[in-house]
Amino acid sequence: MRKKRILFVINPVSGGKKKTTFNKQVLEVLDLNRFDPTFKITNHANHAYELAKSAIDEQYDAVIAVGGDGTINEIGTALLGSDIPLGIVPEGSGNGLALYLGIPMNESAALRRINRFESVDIDCGKIGDRCFFNIAGIGFDASVSDRFASETFRGPVGYLRTIINVISNYKPKKYTLNIDGKVYEREAFMISVANSPQYGNNAYIAPNASINDGVLDVCIVHKFPLYTLPMMIFHLFNKTADQSEYVEIIPGKKICIEQEGKAPLHLDGEPMDLGNKIDIEVQGNALKIIC
């Protein structure tokens, strides 16, 4: 029987973790009687997307993201519309999608999942030709992502440090939302559009979100007094954000968000500028994920 050809796309800087021994570990754990691995390292923005696109032409049987949600985003976007599944070895700062899917954080355990080669179909959010598989956001979390992208100190500790630096000067903004034809005017600290429930590190912004229900959860975090921040954090990590008086969650399939002024947006933690008006829609069963 022909071995399945698997491309491992390795982000060398994700999560602040060195990956110098990763290839060796794959050769020790992966079932080499069934799989033929190839390794490629990313060296610039969007390189993971380019490598995954080439993998389609080269008829690989799977592409594995060795990185965080940003690496997953690039590869997943490239694989949309193909039958090639995406695998994940979580190496990011948050690993939101991997945690939700139950993919182990341990490298060897994640590789053993790939040996099973079982997959599920998941939805994605689309903004033009851009996609997100976990969470897109505008407001505070996008400002954090924008600042974190330029930080040299990576990993969860670096991310927490960035949050503290941003929150001290951040001001809520006014937004107009159109969700499946209904208009909402809101002043919000941030707005997250969730395909899966959590940002990463088990911080759940949309506890009831599902990756395969054909709906996105629009999570509006209203302006809140700073003294309630500890309780807001408690809700995030206790999967009860929807019970906070400062959080409003509205499900939708077609979403338009307009903001006052210019501010960054993030897709799966990667900051970008898509203007002050964004149109989002869900695409069902868009991507196969090995889990």
Side-chain angles (χ1 to χ4, degrees):
M1 188 174 74
R2 181 183 73 84
K3 291 183 181 181
K4 293 185 183 297
R5 298 175 64 232
I6 296 183
L7 176 62
F8 287 86
V9 176
I10 304 165
N11 182 337
V13 299
S14 63
K17 303 173 186 176
K18 293 183 178 179
K19 304 171 184 70
T20 51
T21 63
F22 179 77
N23 295 17
K24 181 175 179 289
Q25 191 168 20
V26 170
L27 297 177
E28 291 173 352
V29 177
L30 196 69
D31 185 350
L32 299 180
N33 292 316
R34 297 172 56 212
F35 303 108
D36 179 17
T38 299
F39 306 94
K40 295 187 179 180
I41 297 174
T42 62
N43 55 36
H44 59 262
N46 219 39
H47 196 192
Y49 175 88
E50 295 165 6
L51 293 172
K53 274 296 185 186
S54 296
I56 297 173
D57 296 333
E58 295 165 17
Q59 298 184 322
Y60 276 88
D61 295 290
V63 180
I64 312 301
V66 185
D69 287 325
T71 307
I72 292 166
N73 181 287
E74 288 191 24
I75 296 172
T77 300
L79 297 179
L80 283 179
S82 77
D83 289 325
I84 300 175
L86 164 68
I88 302 172
V89 177
E91 297 282 8
S93 300
N95 303 306
L97 186 60
L99 282 165
Y100 174 65
L101 290 168
I103 295 171
M105 296 296 104
N106 175 273
E107 286 181 352
S108 293
L111 290 167
R112 285 193 289 272
R113 285 288 184 95
I114 294 168
N115 280 334
R116 301 191 321 195
F117 213 74
E118 298 174 354
S119 66
V120 297
D121 292 335
I122 72 166
D123 304 335
C124 80
K126 296 201 74 176
I127 304 174
D129 60 353
R130 302 277 188 169
C131 299
F132 62 94
F133 302 93
N134 193 45
I135 292 176
I138 195 167
F140 173 74
D141 59 340
S143 296
V144 169
S145 296
D146 190 48
R147 175 81 66 88
F148 186 62
S150 61
E151 293 284 349
T152 55
F153 193 70
R154 309 296 290 177
V157 176
Y159 195 75
L160 178 60
R161 188 171 71 176
T162 303
I163 289 173
I164 293 169
N165 289 336
V166 173
I167 200 169
S168 59
N169 296 309
Y170 188 79
K171 299 285 192 297
K173 294 180 174 61
K174 292 182 179 180
Y175 301 91
T176 300
L177 302 94
N178 186 315
I179 304 173
D180 289 343
K182 187 172 181 179
V183 177
Y184 305 82
E185 301 282 348
R186 296 290 187 268
E187 183 177 18
F189 183 72
M190 66 183 189
I191 299 173
S192 295
V193 182
N195 188 41
S196 89
Q198 65 160 290
Y199 293 119
N201 297 310
N202 293 310
Y204 284 74
I205 185 63
N208 298 311
S210 169
I211 55 170
N212 49 20
D213 62 355
V215 173
L216 300 169
D217 281 20
V218 182
C219 309
I220 305 166
V221 179
H222 298 283
K223 181 179 178 181
F224 59 89
L226 198 56
Y227 70 82
T228 64
L229 183 59
M231 181 57 69
M232 298 291 286
I233 293 171
F234 170 80
H235 281 305
L236 276 177
F237 288 96
N238 199 42
K239 302 183 184 180
T240 55
D242 56 334
Q243 296 177 27
S244 168
E245 63 181 298
Y246 300 107
V247 177
E248 179 182 11
I249 300 179
I250 306 168
K253 295 183 178 182
K254 288 191 174 184
I255 301 135
C256 177
I257 303 174
E258 293 185 68
Q259 63 175 328
E260 287 187 342
K262 190 175 181 180
L265 165 81
H266 81 83
L267 302 181
D268 291 336
E270 298 299 309
M272 56 192 64
D273 180 9
L274 296 179
N276 64 354
K277 179 180 178 181
I278 55 172
D279 292 292
I280 307 169
E281 62 181 351
V282 65
Q283 181 176 335
N285 299 322
L287 179 68
K288 293 185 182 299
I289 297 262
I290 298 171
C291 61

